[in-house]
Amino acid sequence: MENHKEKILVVDDEASIRRILETRLSMIGYDVVTAADGEEALETFRKTNPDLVVLDVMMPKLDGYGVCQELRKESDIPIIMLTALGDVADRITGLELGADDYVVKPFSPKELEARIRSVLRRIDKNGASGIPSSGVIQVSNIRIDTNKRQVYKGDERIRLTGMEFSLLELLVSRSGEPFSRSEILQEVWGYTPERHVDTRVVDVHISRLRAKLEDDPSNPELILTARGTGYLFQRIIEPGEVG
């Protein structure tokens, strides 16, 4: 982290977890700010403008889901949720509200550190192979600018989170070819399939992308399901190419 020290907001009502994460993340070069409840989290976020939020689900005043919803109204900041909930459906709720990833309590601080690095590295990464040198791709009424990491539907800019854009960029880089869920997890989230089998992270992000980009998300024409495999972006016909 050369010139810019990336700032992480850690939100948890357990003082011991805040202390541990503040110490460990500071030691590996991050600037860390903390909050003990949901209301304080929003206040601290607006004051400090962090680069990533680590957000506990079960908190007083305003729970992590409520904080996530509020953050997504005003920001595309990466959010990693901490959850002690055993039910997968509860974890998926956070993803559906806009979280980029989650870690289940009790967690290994090393695992969380790896997730943080992976998310920050991925959203800073530009220029996937298979993207034209201009960095701009036009498909139907969708324009994807990979240099500015922006997407437009007609004249309207569509707000994507960093991980949503990285997922879209990956699919577009090999348009017409399917990616397995495991491959997507590895490329975008940095998981090795043997270590993390919860591919619902991918499914929820695909669903979020379709809701933002497709005219009819229930009958997608851009981001297609490859039966028994995973997902693919419709084949992009280059100018002058015969379809």
Side-chain angles (χ1 to χ4, degrees):
M1 293 159 214
E2 302 79 23
N3 302 321
H4 170 61
K5 215 176 179 187
E6 288 161 312
K7 186 179 293 177
I8 296 177
L9 169 58
V10 173
V11 187
D12 200 298
D13 61 332
E14 293 183 54
S16 59
I17 289 181
R18 292 199 306 277
R19 263 196 312 273
I20 290 168
L21 292 182
E22 183 171 15
T23 301
R24 290 190 62 121
L25 293 172
S26 297
M27 282 174 62
I28 59 174
Y30 295 107
D31 186 7
V32 183
V33 290
T34 63
D37 61 59
E39 290 179 3
E40 187 185 354
L42 293 174
E43 189 181 327
T44 305
F45 169 80
R46 289 165 186 146
K47 279 182 185 170
T48 62
N49 192 29
D51 296 290
L52 181 143
V53 178
V54 176
L55 178 62
D56 188 32
V57 170
M58 305 300 285
M59 290 188 298
K61 297 187 181 177
L62 182 65
D63 67 14
Y65 296 145
V67 174
C68 188
Q69 277 184 301
E70 288 303 309
L71 289 178
R72 280 292 169 254
K73 288 176 185 175
E74 56 191 89
S75 173
D76 304 324
I77 188 170
I79 299 171
I80 298 177
M81 300 200 84
L82 301 178
T83 172
L85 302 172
D87 190 347
V88 171
D90 289 325
R91 298 179 213 161
I92 298 305
T93 298
L95 295 171
E96 288 174 337
L97 292 173
D100 295 287
D101 203 354
Y102 64 81
V103 176
V104 180
K105 288 182 174 180
F107 60 90
S108 151
K110 278 191 173 180
E111 181 184 9
L112 178 59
E113 289 160 17
R115 300 284 184 92
I116 290 169
R117 278 195 300 271
S118 179
V119 170
L120 289 174
R121 183 173 59 242
R122 185 69 213 185
I123 63 168
D124 286 338
K125 189 175 169 185
N126 284 316
S129 59
I131 304 293
S133 55
S134 67
V136 178
I137 298 156
Q138 184 83 38
V139 186
S140 183
N141 65 337
I142 301 291
R143 188 169 86 258
I144 305 164
D145 187 330
T146 60
N147 294 325
K148 295 180 180 175
R149 293 179 70 82
Q150 293 177 355
V151 178
Y152 291 84
K153 188 173 184 179
D155 294 326
E156 179 193 359
R157 183 175 170 194
I158 305 298
R159 233 171 73 175
L160 300 185
T161 68
M163 295 302 273
E164 286 170 348
F165 189 91
S166 293
L167 173 57
L168 177 62
E169 185 178 35
L170 177 71
L171 294 174
V172 165
S173 73
R174 280 187 2 212
S175 71
E177 295 180 38
F179 285 87
S180 70
R181 290 172 175 83
S182 294
E183 195 176 358
I184 292 170
L185 271 177
Q186 204 158 16
E187 290 289 330
V188 177
W189 279 267
Y191 299 169
T192 54
E194 298 77 25
R195 197 169 68 84
H196 192 100
V197 294
D198 193 355
T199 53
R200 289 296 302 279
V201 173
V202 175
D203 295 334
V204 173
H205 274 73
I206 290 287
S207 177
R208 278 165 39 185
L209 269 182
R210 284 172 169 166
K212 292 179 179 184
L213 300 180
E214 301 279 1
D215 291 332
D216 180 0
S218 61
N219 291 294
E221 295 181 354
L222 297 172
I223 301 169
L224 310 175
T225 301
R227 297 287 171 206
T229 306
Y231 300 100
L232 73 155
F233 197 89
Q234 67 155 269
R235 183 158 178 262
I236 298 168
I237 306 297
E238 300 297 336
E241 181 184 351
V242 178

